[in-house]
C-alpha cells in the first residue's frame, strides 16, 4: 500500500470514535502487518474486546 494511502487511513482512524476505529481497522485492505500494528497502538486498550469481537 502506498505510504500516502496509509497516512490517510491512519488520520481517519485517529479521528474516529471507537466504532469508527473498528470499522476502519476491519475494512482496510492491503495493509502490511506493521501498518495494522501501528493502528492497534492507537486503539484504546480498554476497548480491545470490542475489536476482537468484530474480528471474530
Amino acid at each position: 500500500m502506498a505510504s500516502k494511502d496509509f497516512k490517510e487511513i491512519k488520520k481517519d482512524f485517529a479521528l474516529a470514535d471507537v466504532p469508527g476505529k473498528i470499522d476502519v481497522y476491519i475494512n482496510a485492505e492491503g495493509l502490511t502487518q506493521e501498518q495494522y500494528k501501528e493502528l492497534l497502538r492507537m486503539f484504546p486498550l480498554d476497548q480491545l474486546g470490542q475489536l476482537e469481537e468484530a474480528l471474530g
Side-chain angles (χ1 to χ4, degrees):
M1 161 168 284
S3 171
K4 181 179 179 187
D5 293 333
F6 179 66
K7 287 180 183 179
E8 290 176 21
I9 290 171
K10 189 174 167 182
K11 179 182 174 189
D12 291 343
F13 190 86
L15 296 174
D17 59 4
V18 171
K21 287 181 189 318
I22 291 170
D23 187 56
V24 169
Y25 191 87
I26 63 175
N27 290 307
E29 294 182 5
L31 298 183
T32 66
Q33 184 177 5
E34 192 57 40
Q35 288 170 326
Y36 277 114
K37 285 180 183 180
E38 192 169 339
L39 293 180
L40 275 178
R41 287 185 207 106
M42 298 168 55
F43 197 84
L45 295 177
D46 62 336
Q47 302 296 319
L48 279 177
Q50 290 184 45
L51 179 60
E52 289 175 350
E53 192 175 309
L55 290 169

